Amino acid sequence: TLDPSSIQIDGYAVTGLGDADVTAKLRNYSSPKTMTYAGTLDAKNLNLRQLTEVKDLGFVSGKFKFDGIGTDIAKMNLNLDGSLRYIDLMNKRYNNITVDGEIKNYAFNGLFDIKDPNLNGTLNGNINFSGKPFKFDFTSNLRQVNLDFLGLTKDMKAIVRGDVTGDFSLTNINDLNGKIDIKNLYFQSKRDTISFDHVTLNSTIDGNRKIMDVNVPDYVQAKLDGNFKVTEIVNVVNNS
């Protein structure tokens, strides 16, 4: 007899959103808003964009434990602990990611440890993806980041390392609004290698006007005010 209050799932699912090996227990499954669930999921090329309706997400593959309530991503409370073979984010694919955190109210709060050739580091904090611009509040140890891959530089073979604290919003780097604090900064490109103990960046946006303050103690303090793209400024500095 089927238990009306709980059900055990153990099997392999092939769907239009991707494939998954699932072991889970569902409770109160007749009410999607209050349904609880716990188990393990091994997802293979799961289409997060269709599943969540967040356009900057793509496909994901990985295995993790989960424990949550609700099926509406805007209202669910979901705990995740596991590893992703890859995930697509903002038209970039990142590999080898450990995740330990909570998704609640269209926000992720917790830890990412990424060991991708183009983005290697840890991020601990909050990412709110309820709407653009996305909001970030985190601390991070960047072991190595490929700036060309992220689109921050162009054909510069540029990498950066450092300890970062961020509290800002953005859709892309050109509409950055907030503060970034970097310690032990190391930057290398095909032209230069530089390092600084401490760098702070404050950026505000008022319509088409951007105001950006950069402070490197004992070296430089600069202010940019006008209608400009951050990527253009970075490339001009690198090629000067």
Side-chain angles (χ1 to χ4, degrees), residues 42-45 60-63 83-87 94-97:
D42 189 351
K44 297 174 176 63
N45 215 38
V60 63
S61 284
K63 185 175 183 179
S83 59
L84 304 181
R85 290 181 286 274
Y86 62 79
I87 187 170
Y94 302 98
N95 300 278
N96 302 321
I97 305 167

Side-chain angles (χ1 to χ4, degrees), residues 29-217:
Y29 59 86
S30 62
S31 176
K33 291 183 179 179
T34 58
M35 180 176 71
T36 63
Y37 40 86
T40 61
L41 174 69
D42 189 351
K44 297 174 176 63
N45 215 38
L46 191 64
N47 191 330
L48 287 180
R49 181 178 300 174
Q50 288 189 24
L51 186 64
T52 65
E53 298 183 353
V54 177
K55 293 182 179 180
D56 284 293
L57 293 175
F59 292 92
V60 63
S61 284
K63 185 175 183 179
F64 43 85
K65 297 177 183 178
F66 61 88
D67 183 357
I69 180 170
T71 58
D72 183 347
I73 193 167
K75 300 176 181 178
M76 71 166 52
N77 189 341
L78 174 63
N79 292 294
L80 294 173
D81 178 9
S83 59
L84 304 181
R85 290 181 286 274
Y86 62 79
I87 187 170
D88 298 333
L89 178 62
M90 299 175 73
N91 297 315
K92 306 287 185 184
R93 174 161 289 187
Y94 302 98
N95 300 278
N96 302 321
I97 305 167
T98 299
V99 180
D100 185 3
E102 176 189 53
I103 296 175
K104 185 177 181 180
N105 298 327
Y106 265 121
F108 174 85
N109 190 64
L111 173 70
F112 284 104
D113 189 347
I114 307 172
K115 294 182 174 67
D116 183 276
N118 294 304
L119 179 59
N120 191 320
T122 61
L123 184 149
N124 194 352
N126 184 276
I127 303 172
N128 188 310
F129 50 90
S130 59
K132 294 183 178 181
F134 305 120
K135 298 179 178 62
F136 298 81
D137 184 1
F138 66 89
T139 59
S140 178
N141 170 241
L142 300 180
R143 294 183 286 259
Q144 184 154 306
V145 179
N146 181 341
L147 298 183
D148 282 4
F149 176 80
L150 295 182
L152 301 180
T153 57
K154 185 176 180 180
D155 300 326
M156 291 300 299
K157 296 182 179 179
I159 63 169
V160 66
R161 304 178 190 131
D163 300 308
V164 182
T165 300
D167 185 3
F168 57 85
S169 63
L170 61 71
T171 302
N172 57 64
I173 192 64
N174 290 311
D175 66 1
L176 173 70
N177 193 358
K179 181 178 180 180
I180 299 176
D181 186 287
I182 309 173
K183 295 180 179 178
N184 305 314
L185 174 66
Y186 173 87
F187 172 85
Q188 179 183 320
S189 71
K190 64 184 181 181
R191 296 177 60 89
D192 299 293
T193 299
I194 58 176
S195 59
F196 297 112
D197 292 334
H198 193 194
V199 177
T200 60
L201 184 151
N202 283 281
S203 178
T204 58
I205 296 177
D206 183 9
N208 291 326
R209 181 187 179 196
K210 296 185 183 72
I211 303 172
M212 186 170 289
D213 291 292
V214 180
N215 184 22
V216 185

